Amino acid sequence: MTARGRLTILYAVLVLAAGTLLTTLTYLLLRRDGGHRVSVITLGPSPGPEGIPPLPPSIQAVTLTDFITQAAIALAVVTALAAAVGWLVAGRVLRPIRTISATAQRLSAENLSERVPVTTPLDELATLAGTVNGMLDRISHGVAERDRVLASQRMFTANAAHELRTPLTTMRTAIDVTLDSRPGTGELLAMAGDVRTAVEQSRRTLDGLLALARSQAGAGVRHRVDLAEVVANSLDGVELTVRADLRPAPVRGEPVLLERLCGNLVDNAVRHNRSGGHVEVATGGGDGRVFLRIGNSGAPIAPEAVDQLREPFVRGDGTRIHTDRGTGLGLSIVDAIVAAHRGEITFAARPAGGLDVVVHLPSAEHPG
């Protein structure tokens, strides 16, 4: 039986029990005092001081029987009406629960956007709806985090399989070519050098991929960090001309990832620069956010190719990177670190050549 049916029966039983109790009490009172409280209309003189004579027993019995009969009919009608009203009231009371149930049935792992409407007034059912919505928010957040981690793992696996193929092929070729004949000491040393170079390239690629996967998985324990100090440390040893305007830019984040962010941006600005070029760096904050801006005087980049810089192993011209200048993961790691810290990053090609990168992060003074 449904909850609505059980509530209807409960309402009807309560009304029946209350009516039966009321009828029984009325019957007992009439039976005890019925013979002394009957008004008699007479055509003769008024009764004497001794009062009205008691009603004969036969008339009293008929009166009580009629009362019981009429009371039973009235009680049956009232109980039926109570059952009908109880059915309607139970349906109205249970309507929010049916809405919650219907919403829950429509939800799935691919669709967690729907929410239960919270009705007024704020009673127990409205509180239940709010609790269910809060649970759905937590589940949705957990699923999003899971999807982000799985996507990071899939990207790591795919990129590792693709990018490690080249150095492995290089090592295999060097070994096969050398061992096809009776190699001398010089040939063996040359082969060892080629293998070592390929192994070093593989190590750099794996380090970059692991950093990218860790960045995409999100920031861990957060501490107060000043981007101005981190950038200043990253600029140590830069041989190009540096134009710096470093003002306080406090953020809350994972220090290791933020150091990697600043280091990759500085390294990218230096690595992809022209001879005698310069690097421009600025930090600051305001309105609850801080910024980090780094630009360089490198080679011209087509504006339509700027967005491709976020992809792993891609150069500004859209080609895959396979050189000793880097693994091609620097800006991808930066993009992932910024996303993990709930920030924004923009890339813009300079008309005279080079790239401007601007990072905005929530300020430690106003983390909300």
Side-chain angles (χ1 to χ4, degrees):
M1 184 178 296
T2 63
R4 187 177 186 181
R6 290 197 298 270
L7 286 176
T8 300
I9 293 176
L10 178 61
Y11 295 153
V13 169
L14 289 176
V15 171
L16 179 61
T20 301
L21 179 60
L22 179 61
T23 301
T24 302
L25 292 176
T26 304
Y27 173 79
L28 294 176
L29 291 175
L30 286 176
R31 184 177 180 181
R32 187 186 68 178
D33 300 329
H36 301 283
R37 300 183 182 275
V38 177
S39 300
V40 179
I41 301 177
T42 62
L43 300 177
S46 299
E50 61 275 6
I52 300 173
L55 196 65
S58 60
I59 297 178
Q60 182 179 356
V62 171
T63 302
L64 293 177
T65 301
D66 291 341
F67 169 76
I68 291 297
T69 302
Q70 295 174 4
I73 296 173
L75 186 58
V77 173
V78 171
T79 302
L81 291 176
V85 174
W87 176 265
L88 296 176
V89 172
R92 185 172 183 84
V93 171
L94 295 176
R95 186 182 303 167
I97 297 180
R98 291 198 301 271
T99 302
I100 294 175
S101 177
T103 302
Q105 291 177 356
R106 290 192 298 268
L107 295 174
S108 63
E110 290 76 22
N111 176 28
L112 292 173
S113 59
E114 192 169 355
R115 293 294 180 268
V116 178
V118 180
T119 59
T120 54
L122 295 179
D123 53 9
E124 288 81 0
L125 292 177
T127 302
L128 175 61
T131 302
V132 172
N133 288 339
M135 178 188 67
L136 292 175
D137 290 338
R138 292 190 294 272
I139 293 176
S140 179
H141 179 72
V143 170
E145 289 294 325
R146 181 207 64 183
D147 292 342
R148 186 173 66 176
V149 172
L150 291 177
S152 173
Q153 292 175 349
R154 286 194 295 267
M155 178 178 290
F156 172 82
T157 303
N159 287 330
H162 186 278
E163 294 303 321
L164 292 180
R165 187 178 303 167
T166 299
L168 289 176
T169 301
T170 301
M171 287 186 284
R172 177 66 181 269
T173 302
I175 294 174
D176 290 344
V177 171
T178 303
L179 297 182
D180 278 346
S181 59
R182 294 180 177 275
T185 303
E187 293 175 330
L188 291 175
L189 290 176
M191 180 193 69
D194 293 338
V195 171
R196 180 173 183 177
T197 301
V199 170
E200 181 63 20
Q201 180 183 353
S202 300
R203 184 191 65 79
R204 292 199 308 268
T205 300
L206 284 176
D207 289 343
L209 288 171
L210 288 172
L212 178 60
R214 182 188 177 195
S215 303
Q216 291 172 331
V221 180
R222 296 176 181 266
H223 301 277
R224 184 185 176 93
V225 178
D226 190 349
L227 289 183
E229 297 178 1
V230 178
V231 173
N233 294 332
S234 301
L235 291 173
D236 289 343
V238 174
E239 297 179 356
L240 298 176
T241 301
V242 176
R243 303 170 184 174
D245 180 15
L246 302 180
R247 302 180 184 181
V251 298
R252 294 197 66 84
E254 186 174 355
V256 175
L257 292 182
L258 293 175
E259 290 174 3
R260 189 64 180 266
L261 180 148
C262 297
N264 282 8
L265 288 178
V266 172
D267 182 70
N268 186 78
V270 173
R271 189 186 301 272
H272 300 284
N273 213 316
R274 59 179 173 79
S275 177
H278 63 274
V279 176
E280 300 175 4
V281 183
T283 59
D287 297 329
R289 298 177 69 81
V290 301
F291 70 88
L292 164 63
R293 180 182 295 109
I294 296 182
N296 68 345
S297 55
I301 301 176
E304 59 273 11
V306 170
D307 288 339
Q308 295 179 338
L309 296 175
R310 301 172 183 264
E311 301 178 12
F313 309 108
V314 173
R315 196 195 305 277
D317 56 5
T319 59
R320 305 280 296 182
I321 294 178
H322 292 290
T323 69
D324 294 334
R325 299 177 66 188
T327 61
L329 290 168
L331 293 182
S332 298
I333 294 173
V334 168
D335 194 27
I337 294 175
V338 172
H341 288 79
R342 297 180 292 113
E344 299 175 354
I345 183 171
T346 57
F347 300 91
R350 289 185 163 189
L355 186 70
D356 272 327
V357 182
V358 181
V359 176
H360 287 92
L361 296 175
S363 173
E365 307 297 337
H366 301 83

